[in-house]
Amino acid sequence: MLAAMSLLRNGSLLANALLVLTGAAAGTGLTVLVMPTVQEHEEDKAFERSQPSVKPEPSIRSQALNSPVGGSGHSDATDGVEATSLPALLKIGDRQERANALRDAGTKAAAKDVKSALEQAAQLSSTQDKLDYLRGVYGTWAKSDPRAALSYAMSNFQPGTLRNETVGLAVNRWGAVDPRAAWQWSEQNLSGPIKEQAMTDLMIGWTRKTPDAAAQWLASTKLYSQPLINATASTWAETDPRAAWQWASNLSDPLVRRSAMPIVV
C-alpha cells in the first residue's frame, strides 16, 4: 500500500501520466459538448444565407413616384387604345393592371393636351380611378411646368388624398430638375402633413437623379427629419448601397445614424 501511494505521489511519472489522461478525457468531453452547438450555429447561418431575399411588391404610389416620365412600363392594357377611351380601361378587373393602364392613359393624354387630360379626369366618378389617371397626367405635366401643375392641384382639389398625391408627385418631378426651387415652393405654400409628404417626395426625386448632391445637402441642413433621411437613404441604396451606407454611417446625429443604417444594409 505504501509503495502504491509512493508511486502516485505528486511529480511521479505515474501521477503525471494519470493527470494527462484525465485532462485528455475531460477535453474530449468538452469538445463533444461544444461541437454540436458550433455546428448547429454554422448550419443556421448557412440556412439563413440560402433563403431567398423576398422584397415586397412596391405600392402603386411608389411606382408612380419612381417611374420615368412617359409611362409606367405596363402599357399593354393601353396599346392600341386611345387615351380618351377610358370606359374600356374601367372594365379591367385586376386592381394593379387597371391602375397601371389608367396611369399610362393619363401620361399619353397629358403629352397631347394637358387641358383635355384634366377634363377627362374630371369625368371619372371613382376617386381611386381619378387618382391613378392623374398620376400619369402629373408625371408628365409637372416635368415641363411644375408651378402650373401645383397651382392647379392647390386650387382645384380639396384637402385630402387627391391633393396630397398630385402635389407630392409634382414636387417629386420638380425636385429631379430644380430641387432648390421645389423646396422653396414647398416651404412657402405648404404646411402640416402635406408639406412633410411633399418634402419626402422631393428628396426621392432629387436622390434618384443626383444622390450625392441630395444627400450632402440634406446632411448640411441639419434637418434630421426621419422621413427625409429614410427617403434619401433607401432611394440611394437602390442604385448604390455601398455609397448610401457610407453616407448614413457618417451622419453626425447618433440617433439618426442608428435609424438610417438598417435601411441601407
Side-chain angles (χ1 to χ4, degrees), residues 76-229:
D76 291 345
T78 56
D79 286 345
V81 178
E82 290 297 327
T84 55
S85 302
L86 293 182
L89 303 182
L90 298 178
K91 295 179 181 179
I92 299 175
D94 181 79
R95 172 75 187 89
Q96 184 74 55
E97 183 182 352
R98 177 168 166 165
N100 290 332
L102 285 168
R103 189 165 81 250
D104 282 338
T107 298
K108 294 175 181 178
K112 293 180 179 179
D113 184 359
V114 171
K115 182 179 178 181
S116 176
L118 293 172
E119 291 173 351
Q120 289 289 336
Q123 296 176 14
L124 296 170
S125 58
S126 166
T127 301
Q128 186 60 56
D129 289 338
K130 183 181 296 186
L131 173 58
D132 290 330
Y133 184 80
L134 283 170
R135 280 171 172 155
V137 173
Y138 266 71
T140 299
W141 188 14
K143 181 73 172 179
S144 60
D145 195 349
R147 291 185 184 276
L150 287 163
S151 177
Y152 185 90
M154 296 296 289
S155 301
N156 293 275
F157 302 144
Q158 295 295 319
T161 302
L162 199 60
R163 178 187 286 186
N164 294 352
E165 291 281 330
T166 51
V167 166
L169 184 54
V171 172
N172 171 269
R173 289 292 192 258
W174 197 2
V177 179
D178 191 347
R180 298 182 190 281
W183 187 279
Q184 185 177 19
W185 183 94
S186 301
E187 284 280 13
Q188 295 174 350
N189 295 277
L190 302 176
S191 62
I194 188 175
K195 178 179 180 179
E196 182 177 350
Q197 184 60 62
M199 296 294 200
T200 301
D201 293 339
L202 188 160
M203 291 308 302
I204 291 173
W206 189 2
T207 304
R208 192 166 298 283
K209 187 69 176 291
T210 52
D212 284 320
Q216 290 175 12
W217 178 84
L218 182 59
S220 70
T221 63
K222 307 298 182 183
L223 292 174
Y224 291 132
S225 164
Q226 206 61 61
L228 296 181
I229 293 291

